[in-house]
């Protein structure tokens, strides 16, 4: 099946109730339920962030949160990177991240981008130009590592 993809980026105020519900539902489905990781996903940063929705054949297939410099890190950051379980294994992770990188540049100009990546995905992020920056650390029982993509 060929997937037709598109994405959109909105600030918090521009989100419809349905879009907000869809992104929070996907984040909860994967980060809390699937990864068995109870944590406070709604952390007060959504209101100051941009939200990227990746659609495949009209369905929400992925999502990222783009944080301005100074909100989580001194650099612009991409977080809450998630692909819907029903769309995994179709190459959408790369499409999602490349769209997010492009959105960072569109929103903030040429900039360094920091992520807090799950450690087992570091090779994937390296394929997109990110480099490990620091040592692995535990976040909610899952090994993570900070990574940086220089502009």
């Amino acid at each position: 099946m060929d997937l037709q993809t598109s994405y959109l980026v909105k600030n918090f105020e521009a989100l419809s109730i349905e879009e907000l519900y869809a992104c929070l539902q996907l984040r909860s489905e994967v980060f809390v339920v699937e990864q068995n990781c109870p944590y406070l996903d709604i952390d007060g940063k959504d209101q100051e962030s941009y939200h990227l929705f990746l659609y495949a054949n009209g369905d929400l297939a992925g999502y990222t949160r783009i944080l301005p410099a100074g909100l989580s890190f001194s650099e612009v950051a991409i977080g809450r990177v998630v692909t819907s379980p029903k769309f995994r294994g179709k190459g959408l992770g790369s499409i999602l991240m490349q769209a997010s990188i492009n959105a960072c540049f569109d929103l903030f100009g040429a900039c360094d981008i920091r992520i807090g990546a799950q450690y087992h995905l570091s090779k994937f992020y390296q394929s997109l130009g990110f480099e490990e920056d620091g040592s692995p650390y535990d976040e909610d029982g899952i090994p993570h590592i900070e990574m940086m993509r220089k502009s």
Side-chain angles (χ1 to χ4, degrees), residues 11-32:
N11 66 17
F12 186 80
E13 291 79 19
L15 294 176
S16 70
I17 293 169
E18 290 80 13
E19 289 165 334
L20 178 60
Y21 186 89
C23 80
L24 293 176
Q25 183 178 39
L26 180 58
R27 285 166 32 176
S28 183
E29 175 186 4
V30 173
F31 299 135
V32 178

Side-chain angles (χ1 to χ4, degrees), residues 4-133:
Q4 299 297 315
T5 61
S6 62
Y7 72 92
L8 63 91
V9 179
K10 292 186 173 185
N11 66 17
F12 186 80
E13 291 79 19
L15 294 176
S16 70
I17 293 169
E18 290 80 13
E19 289 165 334
L20 178 60
Y21 186 89
C23 80
L24 293 176
Q25 183 178 39
L26 180 58
R27 285 166 32 176
S28 183
E29 175 186 4
V30 173
F31 299 135
V32 178
V33 177
E34 180 182 299
Q35 296 180 357
N36 192 26
C37 186
Y39 77 108
L40 187 59
D41 176 47
I42 301 174
D43 59 4
K45 296 179 182 177
D46 287 315
Q47 297 92 323
E48 303 299 321
S49 299
Y50 294 87
H51 304 270
L52 186 142
F53 297 81
L54 176 69
Y55 295 96
N57 296 346
D59 292 326
L60 182 60
Y63 165 88
T64 62
R65 179 169 76 173
I66 299 169
L67 301 98
L71 190 55
S72 279
F73 301 106
S74 58
E75 303 85 9
V76 169
I78 300 171
R80 300 294 197 264
V81 178
V82 61
T83 302
S84 171
K86 67 182 179 181
F87 287 102
R88 292 196 188 135
K90 302 180 186 316
L92 294 180
S94 294
I95 294 170
L96 175 64
M97 280 304 298
Q98 194 56 61
S100 300
I101 292 165
N102 293 344
C104 288
F105 295 158
D106 290 345
L107 292 165
F108 305 110
C111 60
D112 294 343
I113 303 169
R114 184 172 293 276
I115 59 174
Q118 291 187 6
Y119 188 70
H120 75 278
L121 295 172
S122 63
K123 296 287 187 233
F124 165 73
Y125 290 114
Q126 287 173 14
S127 75
L128 295 163
F130 288 88
E131 296 179 7
E132 292 183 0
D133 188 31

